[in-house]
Amino acid sequence: MILIFIFPIVFMILKKDDYSETENRPLKNFPEISAQNIIDKSYMNGIEAYLSDHFPFRINWVKAKMTAERLSGKSAINNIYICSDRMLEKLPEPDYREINLSVNAVNKFSDTYDTEVYALIAPTSAGIYGDELKDYFPQINQKSLIADIYNKLNEDIGVIDIWDAMYTERDKYLYYRTDHHWTSEGAFTAYKYAAKKMGITSFEDYDIIHVSSDFRGTFYSKCLYDGLKPDIINLYKSNNDKTAVDVLMNDGINEQHTNDIYFPDFLDTNDKYCFFLGHNRALTDIKTNTDTDKRLLLIKDSYANSIVPFFIQNYSQITVIDLRYLKTSVTDFINPDDYDQTLFLYNASTFSTDKNIKNIILYTERLIGNHQSVLLFDYSSTVEKAICALKNKIDVYILESRVIAGGFPYVKKITESGHQVHFIADAAMLSIIDKVDLVFIGAETFYPDGTAFNTVGSDILAELCLNHNVPYYV
């Protein structure tokens, strides 16, 4: 009876955190009240979630509940299997439709750009150590899944199949025990194998520095099992002077610079893996002092964060793209043709479920949709490649852009790609504006406020599109 009165008082007094460091997730806020929220019951559901997240001594109760589940014989907590010396995650069933869309996008990317393209699909710890699970805890066959993905890639894409290399070294510390990522040693193993396939020389002279010995990762956050010793995070410090000299970080909205790829402040948080490259973000552009002109475009998930330090030995610039955080086209940030090599690096679980990989090349195709005609003004290699890559053939009206004859370079390649090309004078743009569904132009420069600078006539065309309700894309 006393508890009935004490708990509400304790609840009101205790500080309400916004984030659970132990579970590595944001906590629910008190819901805003509105007539609609009350009608659709989301207000009461929100209150329930808020109370659950901020219940006094909640983590202790959650741990007690999970301990009781384990004692009752339940070995999987929130899809995390607790083995004798590690935790393993039960992966979701692959979404084969999404896999095919992703593979097609990588293939189309390779067909569209001149950069050498490579693909590395990394097995997760569940793939390499899956035989530690009991027979009644079935796992997908990652080796077969990865092989199937590789078999669907174009022949000109370099396949970096690290399965055998990782499995052979499985007795080493390749994966964290309490987290879904590979360790620095696992990333180093993958780097050495990738270097051979990519025609670069792997650098292997490092001092290993323990930067943390109390890392409990994503698996721990899901099951809160304290029976395994925490993980160690190692920094491989190269015994030469090759390093990052400028790092530009873009979250899709804001940019900032630093001169390091390591973020030691994260070692004082639960999210210690962010020591490598910091938080995931849309783009990280790394300039190095390595004496080479080679440039690498790395399109990835978070597995790649701990392999980047090794690639610094081989490239003067590494541009890292995470499509999960990119809200526009990749070509709004970079031109893939500026890079000698492009590496798609994902773990098997992410590649089989991520719905963003297909966006690498399909942004223009989604914009055009079922439209049948577009108008192009002034040459842009990005626009040209996007139009040439379209599966459906359309009418393409090309203005001559007479000031610099900017339209003419489009004609040959777009004609060869199978589209119906109409090359017309600038003065005729009014006569054809009602025949087109969309307009695309390139841009010489973008200013911080979003203003675009382009060839003379771009503003007149924009006004024309505004008056005729034709979408105008820069």
Side-chain angles (χ1 to χ4, degrees):
M1 193 72 176
I2 295 176
L3 291 178
I4 296 176
F5 294 99
I6 291 179
F7 263 83
I9 296 173
V10 173
F11 181 83
M12 289 185 290
I13 293 175
L14 286 179
K15 178 186 175 185
K16 308 298 186 294
D17 294 322
D18 295 323
Y19 193 86
S20 170
E21 287 286 345
T22 304
E23 298 169 286
N24 197 22
R25 70 174 182 86
L27 299 176
K28 298 294 184 181
N29 294 320
F30 196 84
E32 294 183 5
I33 188 170
S34 69
Q36 182 60 39
N37 289 348
I38 294 174
I39 292 172
D40 64 17
K41 300 182 180 179
S42 61
Y43 178 70
M44 293 306 298
N45 291 337
I47 289 179
E48 183 179 348
Y50 173 78
L51 293 175
S52 175
D53 270 3
H54 298 278
F55 192 79
F57 315 112
R58 175 180 166 277
I59 289 298
N60 302 82
W61 289 105
V62 172
K63 283 187 175 183
K65 174 180 177 293
M66 292 183 177
T67 299
E69 289 181 355
R70 288 192 298 272
L71 291 175
S72 69
K74 187 175 182 180
S75 296
I77 309 293
N78 291 331
N79 285 329
I80 302 300
Y81 300 122
I82 300 169
C83 303
S84 59
D85 62 347
R86 72 181 69 253
M87 300 175 187
L88 297 175
E89 183 175 30
K90 177 177 171 58
L91 300 185
E93 279 298 312
D95 184 338
Y96 289 100
R97 177 181 177 278
E98 206 63 46
I99 289 174
N100 289 334
L101 289 173
S102 296
V103 168
N104 290 339
V106 174
N107 286 338
K108 186 174 288 187
F109 180 93
S110 178
D111 290 339
T112 304
Y113 297 104
D114 295 328
T115 176
E116 294 177 11
V117 179
Y118 297 85
L120 192 165
I121 310 300
T124 70
S125 57
I128 297 300
Y129 302 104
D131 54 2
E132 295 183 13
L133 298 173
K134 298 177 181 178
D135 292 338
Y136 50 87
F137 293 139
Q139 278 278 4
I140 63 172
N141 188 325
Q142 286 192 38
K143 185 174 184 179
S144 297
L145 173 66
I146 293 170
D148 184 57
I149 293 170
Y150 285 151
N151 288 335
K152 293 177 181 177
L153 293 172
N154 289 348
E155 291 184 357
D156 60 349
I157 294 176
V159 167
I160 304 174
D161 189 352
I162 64 169
W163 179 276
D164 289 341
M166 300 297 281
Y167 195 85
T168 300
E169 303 288 333
R170 68 198 300 265
D171 290 334
K172 297 182 178 179
Y173 189 38
L174 301 183
Y175 294 89
Y176 294 113
R177 292 180 291 271
T178 68
D179 189 74
H180 69 284
H181 294 102
W182 55 21
T183 62
S184 295
E185 186 169 3
F188 184 49
T189 302
Y191 160 73
K192 289 186 292 183
Y193 191 83
K196 295 176 184 177
K197 294 291 184 178
M198 298 172 72
I200 57 178
T201 302
S202 60
F203 181 82
E204 302 185 20
D205 186 11
Y206 294 92
D207 290 329
I208 300 176
I209 302 171
H210 301 316
V211 295
S212 175
S213 58
D214 60 351
F215 176 40
R216 296 186 187 273
T218 52
F219 292 169
Y220 173 81
S221 297
K222 290 182 179 180
C223 69
L224 301 181
Y225 177 62
D226 295 317
L228 296 177
K229 63 181 179 180
D231 280 297
I232 297 170
I233 295 180
N234 290 326
L235 165 64
Y236 277 53
K237 181 175 175 56
S238 64
N239 286 313
N240 62 20
D241 60 355
K242 295 178 182 178
T243 186
V245 294
D246 181 65
V247 181
L248 180 149
M249 301 172 291
N250 188 314
D251 63 6
I253 301 175
N254 301 307
E255 287 186 352
Q256 57 181 341
H257 284 264
T258 183
N259 60 359
D260 202 352
I261 58 171
Y262 299 110
F263 293 77
D265 287 350
F266 282 104
L267 296 176
D268 295 325
T269 71
N270 271 25
D271 207 0
K272 289 178 172 56
Y273 186 76
C274 287
F275 171 71
F276 304 102
L277 292 192
H279 281 304
N280 288 317
R281 63 182 70 85
L283 178 144
T284 304
D285 188 56
I286 304 165
K287 302 287 178 56
T288 79
N289 61 358
T290 302
D291 186 20
T292 179
D293 293 328
K294 289 180 74 70
R295 306 170 75 191
L296 174 67
L297 176 60
L298 180 55
I299 300 169
K300 60 88 184 183
D301 65 11
S302 57
Y303 259 52
N305 293 13
S306 55
I307 204 173
V308 166
F310 302 113
F311 280 125
I312 281 179
Q313 301 294 320
N314 304 100
Y315 298 95
S316 61
Q317 180 179 1
I318 303 171
T319 301
V320 182
I321 299 284
D322 194 324
L323 297 172
R324 296 171 297 178
Y325 302 90
L326 198 65
K327 304 306 179 187
T328 60
S329 172
V330 166
T331 53
D332 288 344
F333 290 88
I334 53 94
N335 180 358
D337 281 336
D338 292 338
Y339 297 84
D340 301 278
Q341 296 174 313
T342 296
L343 173 61
F344 287 84
L345 195 162
Y346 287 84
N347 73 66
S349 177
T350 303
F351 194 90
S352 63
T353 56
D354 192 347
K355 299 182 184 300
N356 298 289
I357 301 171
K358 62 179 179 290
N359 298 337
I360 186 66
I361 196 68
L362 299 181
Y363 184 66
T364 303
E365 193 165 323
R366 293 202 313 276
L367 286 178
I368 293 177
N370 294 321
H371 296 304
Q372 297 299 311
S373 60
V374 300
L375 172 64
L376 309 182
F377 180 76
D378 192 25
Y379 181 73
S380 163
S381 61
T382 301
V383 172
E384 178 186 74
K385 287 173 178 174
I387 296 297
C388 288
L390 293 174
K391 290 181 181 178
N392 298 327
K393 303 310 174 185
I394 60 175
D395 285 301
V396 182
Y397 292 85
I398 302 173
L399 292 170
E400 59 182 342
S401 310
R402 178 170 295 184
V403 174
I404 57 172
F408 184 72
Y410 276 129
V411 174
K412 185 174 185 293
K413 285 192 175 181
I414 294 181
T415 301
E416 290 175 348
S417 69
H419 298 294
Q420 183 65 46
V421 171
H422 311 270
F423 188 60
I424 59 178
D426 292 346
M429 68 172 69
L430 178 61
S431 66
I432 56 94
I433 193 65
D434 289 326
K435 297 180 181 180
V436 301
D437 301 313
L438 305 167
V439 171
F440 291 96
I441 71 166
E444 305 297 335
T445 302
F446 280 100
Y447 293 103
D449 65 356
T451 302
F453 176 84
N454 200 44
T455 304
V456 172
S458 300
D459 53 348
I460 297 173
L461 181 57
E463 290 288 345
L464 197 60
C465 288
L466 180 64
N467 291 331
H468 287 258
N469 294 317
V470 177
Y472 183 86
Y473 294 98
V474 181

